[in-house]
Amino acid sequence: MNELYKEPTLLTPHETAFRTEAWIIDATNINSPNSYQEFSVVFEPQTMTHHQMLLEHLVGCVSEVKLNTPFRSNKEASPLFENKKGFLYSSQLFVPQLNIEFNHPDELCGRTATISGHARDLPLGQVVIQIDYIDFDSVTNGIDEEPVIASVDDEDDW
Amino acid sequence: MLATTQQTQTQKTTQQKDYRAPYIFVVMLHSGEVVVGASSNPAKRICSINSGYNKAVPKPLQINKIIGVKSQNESRTFAGVVAKMCSRYGKDNVIAI
């Protein structure tokens, strides 16, 4: 078989790992693949610092693919992680790990989470985001309910 | 023989084009207030609001959740969305950016 169609990936998860605090915008295809048989999560970093750092990191990954592409290669480095509204989205063939269980993906929309992922280049050179782990923040922001004080039985109090 | 040239006066006409941002976004703050804005890059705009870079929301990390981001067209305008939010949440609870 022609070796041109067996081009290895240039980006490795270890070198392109990132972690950011983000809102989950759309989690419809978080555990069920879309029409392209891909699992996808749309998210957005919470602050400009996270947004800028993540974009610079991803653009750096695109540049790395451009620089390390062999002479005879079908790869053309291009970003494939930002939609028209400016939100970032992942595109992967495996389900990301979550720290919670849910009944329906709509429960996850709008929640804040810490997203750990990496960048990966496709056979034709497009750079995509792949999410490894999503750590959802607690809905109550860590504030526990007031402890229930058990009633004291005077007869046993001796 | 010198040819006479007719000088025609040209009038410069300028057409005012009303800029309409492609997207309208609505977010809710921790205080319960609703922020309505329009931008070509709503994600970046929401990030900047949450970072405290907007005079209307000077304190950072105030956004509780993103209610929605939709495209602006003839049926859905910025003024219409602001009016709808005012009728739903009250005039005092809506911030138009």
Side-chain angles (χ1 to χ4, degrees):
Chain A
M1 191 174 177
N2 195 348
E3 290 185 353
L4 282 176
Y5 296 98
K6 289 185 179 179
E7 296 186 49
T9 56
L10 300 172
L11 301 176
T12 58
H14 177 70
E15 294 176 354
T16 60
F18 66 87
R19 182 178 297 176
T20 182
E21 306 279 336
W23 287 294
I24 303 298
I25 307 299
D26 184 15
T28 306
N29 298 115
I30 194 170
N31 60 349
S32 59
N34 56 13
S35 58
Y36 298 101
Q37 300 303 316
E38 294 173 343
F39 300 96
S40 177
V41 175
V42 182
F43 63 97
E44 177 59 26
Q46 289 189 339
T47 61
M48 280 301 292
T49 306
H50 290 104
H51 184 93
Q52 191 69 22
M53 288 176 62
L54 183 54
L55 272 185
E56 285 183 2
H57 175 71
L58 294 172
V59 169
C61 294
V62 175
S63 302
E64 191 173 336
V65 172
K66 278 183 187 175
L67 293 173
N68 296 333
T69 301
F71 175 67
R72 291 189 176 186
S73 173
N74 289 329
K75 290 198 176 190
E76 289 186 11
S78 61
L80 200 64
F81 43 76
E82 194 172 9
N83 61 9
K84 292 180 181 179
K85 297 178 182 177
F87 296 121
L88 303 175
Y89 65 93
S90 66
S91 176
Q92 57 200 64
L93 299 178
F94 58 92
V95 179
Q97 291 188 1
L98 309 177
N99 66 330
I100 59 171
E101 293 180 356
F102 60 96
N103 297 322
H104 195 272
D106 288 346
E107 298 175 5
L108 306 177
C109 294
R111 291 185 65 172
T112 58
T114 303
I115 293 178
S116 300
H118 60 272
R120 191 99 174 164
D121 59 315
L122 301 180
L124 291 180
Q126 300 98 328
V127 176
V128 298
I129 296 174
Q130 294 189 342
I131 296 177
D132 300 318
Y133 185 72
I134 303 178
D135 188 4
F136 284 94
D137 297 339
S138 173
V139 178
T140 57
N141 289 329
I143 300 174
D144 298 329
E145 297 178 354
E146 292 183 0
V148 177
I149 301 175
S151 59
V152 177
D153 195 353
D154 294 332
E155 294 182 356
D156 291 334
D157 187 14
W158 53 270
Chain B
M1 181 178 176
L2 291 175
T4 57
T5 56
Q6 291 183 351
Q7 292 184 351
T8 57
Q9 292 184 351
T10 57
Q11 293 182 352
K12 183 179 180 182
T13 57
T14 56
Q15 293 181 352
Q16 292 185 353
K17 295 182 180 179
D18 296 329
Y19 171 73
R20 180 182 290 178
Y23 297 101
I24 301 174
F25 61 90
V26 179
V27 299
M28 179 172 279
L29 306 181
H30 292 304
S31 59
E33 294 175 321
V34 170
V35 176
V36 184
S39 173
S40 58
N41 193 338
K44 203 172 180 181
R45 191 74 182 275
I46 293 171
C47 276
S48 67
I49 294 172
N50 200 35
S51 301
Y53 294 155
N54 195 296
K55 292 181 181 179
V57 187
K59 209 174 175 184
L61 301 178
Q62 291 302 300
I63 293 180
N64 186 15
K65 66 175 180 178
I66 300 173
I67 296 177
V69 179
K70 295 187 178 180
S71 59
Q72 183 171 193
N73 45 37
E74 293 178 354
S75 60
R76 185 190 298 119
T77 61
F78 179 72
V81 173
V82 172
K84 190 180 286 186
M85 292 298 136
C86 286
S87 63
R88 187 180 297 178
Y89 297 102
K91 291 181 181 178
D92 297 333
N93 295 327
V94 175
I95 301 173
I97 293 178

